[in-house]
Amino acid sequence: CLRALNGQPPAAPTPRVVEREEEEEDEELTLKYGAKHVIMLFVPVTLCMVVVVATIKSVSFYTQNDGQRLIYTPFPEDTDTVGQRALNSILNATIMITVIIVMTLVLVMLYKYRCYKVIQGWLFLSSLLLLFFFSYIYLKEVFKTYNLAMDYITLAIIIWNFGVVGMMCIHWKGPLRLQQAYLIMISALMALVFIKYLPEWTAWLILAVISVYDLLAVLCPKGPLRILVETAQERNEPIFPALIYSSTMVWLVNMADTDRPNRNSTEAASPQQEPQEVASPVPSSPSQDDGGFTQSWVSQQEHRLGPLQSTEETRREIQQMPSARPPVEEDDEERGVKLGLGDFIFYSMLVGKASATASGDWNTTLACFVAILIGLCLTLLLLAIFKKALPALPISIFFGLVFYFATDNLVRPFMDKLALHQFYI
Amino acid sequence: MTAAVFFGCTFIAFGPAIALFLFTIAREPLRVIFLIAGAFFWLVSLLLSSLVWFISVQISNKESAAQQKGLLIFGVVLSVLLQETFRFAYYKLLKKANEGLLTLSQEETMPISIRQLAYVSGLGFGFMSGAFSVVNILADSAGPGTVGIHGDSQHYFLSSAFMTMAIILLHMFWGVVFFDACEKQRWWAVGAVVISHLLVSCLTFQNPEYVASLVPTYVILFLMGVWAFYSAGGSLRNLKLCLTCKDKDLLLANHRPR
């Protein structure tokens, strides 16, 4: 999900008149900075989608059906009847969602009983797997597609460097752009894995169910994530760091007391783990529901403002009320946004699936792309209006799905006929 | 077909639009957002018109080619009318949003003027329209094949590219004129925009006689361009000042000394 960090113009000496001016300035600045935040999210989301679509279109490996399936989606979709296929896909989606819920609960349990080492080690292993193994497979397939020869020694050196620099950037320190690039790359890799290994109807169903789950988890009062954050709040400590895309360097603020910029560790490695391991207690839903928001930051905010009703509300309030907030960042001018990698992954998965399977080809891909961006924009707008907790997935995924099916079935025949006669509308 | 055809047609079709985007829109976040929102509105209008066309095809006689062509023409006209309706709806939405923002911020000036919005929304419509018309054709042009092997025109790709460029620029001009006309309550101008859009679409019914369809389209493009220039506040004097680098407002805006 979405979080924005809005700074505050410095407090002026004379209270009343200046306060009002500040408020006006705030509104104007909020609008301008709100637009800037939206663009700061558009660019990485677009880049991730472009990488995924480019790979799908050129490397055939990710669209081939090798007959392999994930352990989480055991039912095949190449059945004889449509009814059987529908049933199989529903069962697959149910299993996947159950796995995600179970993993979240396990995570909450681990956190409650203070098994921090387990969680951190596991996240570390997840990002290791992603940066080395999956990128090796990706590189191998790209070489196969373009018929390039490379010896294993060079390949090993390349993968080693790529992986180690990635681990450093994500878990420790690194230049901001490089870190953002790595986060985009691993989101794209994860989305590609999903596109390859999830059968078609299962994938659409999972997308729909995930966004419904996201919606429920944010708006209903009894989610495991809420327990997680409330526990962290009680203990007054930062929760394990999450994997989120950040547009500015804001780590010092969150970790002022622990001296460790651990805002970026592999919490969205959770979805990556799913294809490979059965019983790994990876926190998949945090990355999908709240996008791995910096729990530490939220708990810090809650500590300052007092207990609030739900974390997501806190998040949204924090995003949307710059005038009520003490400055969160060291630098008042620097305002950043964070978006969870789970959101990146599912957006890219939708667009990638659209470009892989749609017979309308580029029209469908374009339509889904625009729909997702507008959904993101609307989500931010709704947040600004309602100042309430809203997840980032539902609106975008809903628009994306509607536009995918509508464009593929309705617009494609129309545009094909027009192109045939070269009529322009 | 060769890479030259692919790149050539891509740049013909999208070159001016991308240049406009890069130089005037890319740096301003608000404009980019309204551009994408404009593209979305065009997409929704296309969806609705495709829905109507699809339903009409399903209930019609699929064997009769004449009827199918008639339905297609009906689809084109309906699509044009829906596009203009959605342009008007976008205008209304932007006016409401602007008013809301104005009252919120209690400031004299809005962060983005209605003229900029007209330009940006027109370009958004244009981008989406052009992309949907031509991207599949461009993708095919990068693949193998021979153009016009069955006796069709050999200039298919080139004419598509030129037509797309005209359509994108036309949408931009239509946007500017339309919004200006709505602002000043000049409904005859709105009607003129709708009629010129219908005219351009109907001209394409003459394809593949490209001379008959492209030349009038470009004439209309030029005329609409001049009209949009004047309705956006341009004049010969402004133009002269701008071109000889003596326009103080423009120089101030770009922080350049005279």
Side-chain angles (χ1 to χ4, degrees), chain B residues 69-128:
Chain B
K69 191 144 191 205
L71 276 178
L72 197 62
I73 292 178
F74 160 69
V76 169
V77 171
L78 177 70
S79 177
V80 168
L81 292 174
L82 270 176
Q83 282 177 47
E84 297 303 326
T85 313
F86 270 81
R87 206 195 295 273
F88 184 68
Y90 194 40
Y91 166 76
K92 281 287 178 204
L93 183 72
L94 287 176
K95 283 294 277 186
K96 264 214 169 98
N98 254 347
E99 279 164 17
L101 291 171
L102 205 54
T103 51
L104 263 183
S105 68
Q106 296 163 355
E107 287 218 359
E108 297 295 317
T109 56
M110 302 189 287
I112 184 167
S113 73
I114 200 77
R115 276 188 185 156
Q116 289 180 18
L117 281 174
Y119 162 63
V120 155
S121 70
L123 198 57
F125 269 58
F127 258 120
M128 212 56 191

Side-chain angles (χ1 to χ4, degrees), chain B residues 6 16 57 59 67 69 75 108 113-114 122 143-144 147 158 161-162 191 193 217 223 233 252 256 258:
Chain B
F6 171 70
V57 162
I59 61 180
Q67 203 181 49
K69 191 144 191 205
E108 297 295 317
S113 73
I114 200 77
V147 193
L158 210 56
F162 275 108
V193 165
T217 306
L223 291 173
L252 267 174
R256 264 196 312 234
R258 202 151 19 128

Side-chain angles (χ1 to χ4, degrees), chain A residues 112-185:
Chain A
K112 243 183 142 77
Y113 295 114
R114 298 177 188 268
C115 311
Y116 299 141
K117 294 291 182 196
V118 176
I119 298 174
Q120 280 169 11
W122 189 13
L123 295 178
F124 190 81
L125 277 179
S126 300
S127 61
L128 205 74
L129 185 78
L130 198 64
L131 279 171
F132 285 93
F133 186 56
F134 284 164
S135 49
Y136 163 67
I137 292 180
Y138 180 81
L139 207 56
K140 200 173 67 155
E141 293 304 325
V142 169
F143 285 153
K144 265 195 220 166
T145 305
Y146 290 107
N147 207 14
L148 296 170
M150 184 175 278
D151 53 302
Y152 274 115
I153 300 176
T154 316
L155 188 66
I157 293 177
I158 292 176
I159 296 290
W160 172 255
N161 279 305
F162 178 79
V164 168
V165 174
M167 292 302 281
M168 272 172 32
C169 277
I170 294 173
H171 293 273
W172 191 46
K173 298 185 224 199
L176 180 67
R177 291 294 176 211
L178 193 61
Q179 183 195 50
Q180 290 172 340
Y182 267 105
L183 291 174
I184 292 176
M185 277 190 274

Side-chain angles (χ1 to χ4, degrees), chain B residues 1-165:
Chain B
M1 277 89 19
T2 60
V5 169
F6 171 70
F7 282 111
C9 289
T10 307
F11 290 137
I12 289 175
F14 290 112
I18 292 182
L20 282 168
F21 176 77
L22 282 177
F23 289 129
T24 56
I25 298 183
R27 292 191 183 274
E28 298 278 322
L30 264 182
R31 293 182 198 169
V32 175
I33 295 171
F34 285 119
L35 182 100
I36 298 183
F40 180 74
F41 269 74
W42 188 90
L43 199 59
V44 175
S45 82
L46 178 68
L47 210 82
L48 285 177
S49 53
S50 311
L51 180 66
V52 174
W53 175 83
F54 191 77
I55 294 175
S56 68
V57 162
Q58 295 302 322
I59 61 180
S60 75
N61 175 16
K62 289 201 187 148
E63 301 303 315
S64 148
Q67 203 181 49
Q68 294 303 310
K69 191 144 191 205
L71 276 178
L72 197 62
I73 292 178
F74 160 69
V76 169
V77 171
L78 177 70
S79 177
V80 168
L81 292 174
L82 270 176
Q83 282 177 47
E84 297 303 326
T85 313
F86 270 81
R87 206 195 295 273
F88 184 68
Y90 194 40
Y91 166 76
K92 281 287 178 204
L93 183 72
L94 287 176
K95 283 294 277 186
K96 264 214 169 98
N98 254 347
E99 279 164 17
L101 291 171
L102 205 54
T103 51
L104 263 183
S105 68
Q106 296 163 355
E107 287 218 359
E108 297 295 317
T109 56
M110 302 189 287
I112 184 167
S113 73
I114 200 77
R115 276 188 185 156
Q116 289 180 18
L117 281 174
Y119 162 63
V120 155
S121 70
L123 198 57
F125 269 58
F127 258 120
M128 212 56 191
S129 171
F132 262 65
S133 306
V134 94
V135 168
N136 274 335
I137 297 175
L138 288 175
D140 285 338
S141 78
T146 306
V147 193
I149 196 170
H150 290 298
D152 301 307
S153 163
Q154 299 219 337
H155 303 294
Y156 184 79
F157 291 127
L158 210 56
S159 65
S160 299
F162 275 108
M163 193 67 201
T164 307
M165 173 173 80

Side-chain angles (χ1 to χ4, degrees), chain A residues 17-279:
Chain A
V17 173
V18 190
E19 252 178 46
R20 233 178 293 129
E21 280 179 11
E22 274 180 13
E23 269 177 38
E24 291 170 11
E25 255 178 51
D26 271 352
E27 293 291 354
E28 174 82 8
L29 286 170
T30 308
L31 174 70
K32 284 205 182 120
Y33 279 99
K36 204 166 132 194
H37 292 162
V38 174
I39 298 300
M40 284 199 276
L41 288 181
F42 273 8
V43 173
V45 169
T46 308
L47 277 175
C48 195
M49 288 189 207
V50 163
V51 169
V52 169
V53 171
T55 309
I56 294 277
K57 289 289 182 190
S58 53
V59 179
S60 61
F61 171 74
Y62 288 103
T63 43
Q64 279 166 1
N65 186 4
D66 296 337
Q68 285 176 342
R69 282 187 301 278
L70 299 178
I71 309 171
Y72 306 100
T73 55
F75 297 96
E77 272 201 19
D78 47 352
T79 56
D80 297 325
T81 64
V82 172
Q84 184 68 24
R85 186 177 185 188
L87 184 67
N88 280 358
S89 55
I90 291 175
L91 288 172
N92 280 341
T94 317
I95 295 175
M96 193 76 154
I97 294 297
T98 318
V99 164
I100 290 172
I101 297 177
V102 162
M103 284 185 183
T104 318
L105 288 172
V106 168
L107 170 75
V108 171
M109 285 300 124
L110 277 179
Y111 186 71
K112 243 183 142 77
Y113 295 114
R114 298 177 188 268
C115 311
Y116 299 141
K117 294 291 182 196
V118 176
I119 298 174
Q120 280 169 11
W122 189 13
L123 295 178
F124 190 81
L125 277 179
S126 300
S127 61
L128 205 74
L129 185 78
L130 198 64
L131 279 171
F132 285 93
F133 186 56
F134 284 164
S135 49
Y136 163 67
I137 292 180
Y138 180 81
L139 207 56
K140 200 173 67 155
E141 293 304 325
V142 169
F143 285 153
K144 265 195 220 166
T145 305
Y146 290 107
N147 207 14
L148 296 170
M150 184 175 278
D151 53 302
Y152 274 115
I153 300 176
T154 316
L155 188 66
I157 293 177
I158 292 176
I159 296 290
W160 172 255
N161 279 305
F162 178 79
V164 168
V165 174
M167 292 302 281
M168 272 172 32
C169 277
I170 294 173
H171 293 273
W172 191 46
K173 298 185 224 199
L176 180 67
R177 291 294 176 211
L178 193 61
Q179 183 195 50
Q180 290 172 340
Y182 267 105
L183 291 174
I184 292 176
M185 277 190 274
I186 65 178
S187 305
L189 280 174
M190 200 59 223
L192 285 168
V193 166
F194 274 153
I195 292 171
K196 178 169 175 65
Y197 288 111
L198 288 179
E200 204 183 316
W201 290 17
T202 311
W204 298 121
L205 262 178
I206 286 180
L207 275 171
V209 177
I210 281 278
S211 36
V212 169
Y213 174 59
D214 201 15
L215 192 70
L216 289 177
V218 170
L219 297 178
C220 293
K222 283 227 170 219
L225 291 173
R226 254 185 97 184
I227 303 173
L228 191 68
V229 175
E230 282 168 5
T231 320
Q233 195 185 333
E234 280 168 34
R235 296 179 193 171
N236 203 12
E237 65 190 12
I239 315 179
F240 51 87
L243 194 61
I244 42 177
Y245 176 92
S246 152
S247 58
T248 58
M249 289 291 222
V250 296
W251 43 274
L252 279 177
V253 181
N254 301 326
M255 295 296 119
D257 42 352
T258 60
D259 197 32
R260 216 176 14 113
N262 52 354
R263 87 199 127 124
N264 289 317
S265 89
T266 355
E267 182 242 347
S270 49
Q272 314 146 13
Q273 283 291 66
E274 290 156 16
Q276 303 299 318
E277 289 151 34
V278 184

